[in-house]
């Protein structure tokens, strides 16, 4: 049973500690008004006065619990090999979920309109920045947003799978799953490295890779182009990156 020191902390802090402890011990269902009140040594009205309702309390618990993970995530968003940072970020995400399964489920599986992205959005922005750097290095074969979405959704699926296995005492049965899925996802969005640098092999579409890189570099602004010209160029680059219409255009013009 969660207990909180009722002498050394203010009511708001006691409520947060009690809710966090109850969440870790029994999951979302354990965080009731009665249980939090008893553990924190406060009246129910005190919870509502500080947090509005129980959802407001849970949102604040999620935000505080996420802070440590976010700090670690932001710390690895620095200069260096962006592909290596993608791998470290994936591993950090999975480790956070396994260390805090109830909090992870609260963050990623319980819909909270208007608050979901407000809590997890900073970490997603870190991911986007790293994928952006991958694109600028010429290693990304698809769009930045699409690649980030694939990495995030796959990582979340793996984490939830491992959390369920951990709860059933079968985590050892999934040894290596995270690394295998991580490498499969990265292989699907990255171009392979060959020789002394990043070069697409014979099966790649080098024009698409360069289109993704150029569009990413254009985010810094191209002063020699008008806004209309930039929009048109971005549209062309998107078509090249996705291969949209290229075969039809080639046949109609007789191009090789």
């Amino acid at each position: 049973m969660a207990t909180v020191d009722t002498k050394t902390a203010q009511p708001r802090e006691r409520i947060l500690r009690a809710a966090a402890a109850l969440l870790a011990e029994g999951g979302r269902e354990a965080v009731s008004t009665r249980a939090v009140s008893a553990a924190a040594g406060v009246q129910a009205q005190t919870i509502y006065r500080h947090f509005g309702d129980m959802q407001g309390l849970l949102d604040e618990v999620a935000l505080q619990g996420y802070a440590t993970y976010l700090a670690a995530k932001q710390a690895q968003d620095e200069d260096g090999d962006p592909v290596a940072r993608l791998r470290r970020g994936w591993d950090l995400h999975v480790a956070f979920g396994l260390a805090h399964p109830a909090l992870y489920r609260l963050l990623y599986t319980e819909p909270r309109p208007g608050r979901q992205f407000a809590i997890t959005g900073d970490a997603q922005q870190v991911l986007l920045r790293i994928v952006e750097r991958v694109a600028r290095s010429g290693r990304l074969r698809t769009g930045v947003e699409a690649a980030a979405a694939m990495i995030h959704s796959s990582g979340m699926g793996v984490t939830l799978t491992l959390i369920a296995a951990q709860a059933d005492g079968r985590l050892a049965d999934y040894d290596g799953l995270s690394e295998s899925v991580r490498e499969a996802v990265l292989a699907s969005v990255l171009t392979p490295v060959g020789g002394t640098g990043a070069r697409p092999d014979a099966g790649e579409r080098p024009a698409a890779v360069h289109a993704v890189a150029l569009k990413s570099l254009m985010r810094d602004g191209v002063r020699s182009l008008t806004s209309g010209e930039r929009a048109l160029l971005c549209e062309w680059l998107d078509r090249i990156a996705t291969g949209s219409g290229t075969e039809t255009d080639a046949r109609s013009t007789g191009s090789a």
Side-chain angles (χ1 to χ4, degrees):
M1 176 65 181
T3 57
V4 175
D5 186 346
T6 59
K7 297 180 180 179
T8 61
Q10 295 299 312
R12 188 177 191 279
E13 183 61 29
R14 297 206 308 268
I15 292 167
L16 283 170
R17 291 180 187 177
L22 287 164
L23 179 68
E25 290 176 7
R28 168 66 180 84
E29 295 75 16
V31 188
S32 65
T33 302
R34 177 178 295 181
V36 173
S37 298
V42 300
Q43 298 295 318
Q45 294 89 333
T46 306
I47 298 175
Y48 301 136
R49 185 169 66 252
H50 284 285
F51 301 99
D53 55 19
M54 289 302 292
Q55 188 60 64
L57 172 58
L58 283 168
D59 284 343
E60 188 63 27
V61 168
L63 188 61
Q64 289 203 0
Y66 205 58
T68 302
Y69 164 70
L70 180 59
K73 186 86 170 173
Q74 290 172 328
Q76 63 103 32
D77 179 26
E78 55 191 17
D79 292 337
D81 179 9
V83 175
R85 290 206 301 281
L86 282 178
R87 288 190 171 92
R88 289 197 299 271
W90 176 292
D91 294 343
L92 181 65
H93 184 95
V94 174
F96 170 75
L98 289 174
H100 309 281
L103 177 60
Y104 189 90
R105 288 196 184 100
L106 177 64
L107 284 162
Y108 287 103
T109 67
E110 183 171 318
R112 294 184 304 287
R115 289 289 292 164
Q116 196 85 28
F117 189 77
I119 296 174
T120 62
D122 286 342
Q124 288 175 258
Q125 289 303 311
V126 172
L127 173 60
L128 278 170
R129 287 196 297 271
I130 297 173
V131 176
E132 183 93 29
R133 290 175 190 145
V134 174
R136 294 185 182 201
S137 71
R139 290 293 313 277
L140 200 64
R141 72 169 86 193
T142 186
V144 170
E145 290 79 8
M150 288 179 64
I151 294 167
H152 173 70
S153 59
S154 301
M156 185 170 64
V158 164
T159 305
L160 289 170
T161 298
L162 294 179
I163 286 173
Q166 181 175 253
D168 291 340
R170 297 186 299 111
L171 190 58
D173 295 342
Y174 292 82
D175 186 42
L177 174 69
S178 178
E179 292 80 3
S180 296
V181 176
R182 181 193 68 201
E183 293 309 307
V185 172
L186 292 183
S188 72
V189 300
L190 300 177
T191 62
V193 176
T196 59
R199 299 190 197 127
D201 64 16
E204 294 295 321
R205 296 185 300 117
V209 173
H210 291 303
V212 170
L214 179 55
K215 183 179 179 183
S216 180
L217 289 167
M218 285 180 61
R219 294 178 192 273
D220 290 338
V222 181
R223 295 181 180 180
S224 59
L225 299 178
T226 67
S227 59
E229 289 169 338
R230 286 196 298 273
L232 181 58
L233 179 54
C234 285
E235 180 182 345
W236 288 343
L237 291 174
D238 283 339
R239 291 176 63 186
I240 294 171
T242 60
S244 176
T246 53
E247 294 183 1
T248 301
D249 294 343
R251 286 196 299 268
S252 65
T253 60
S255 302

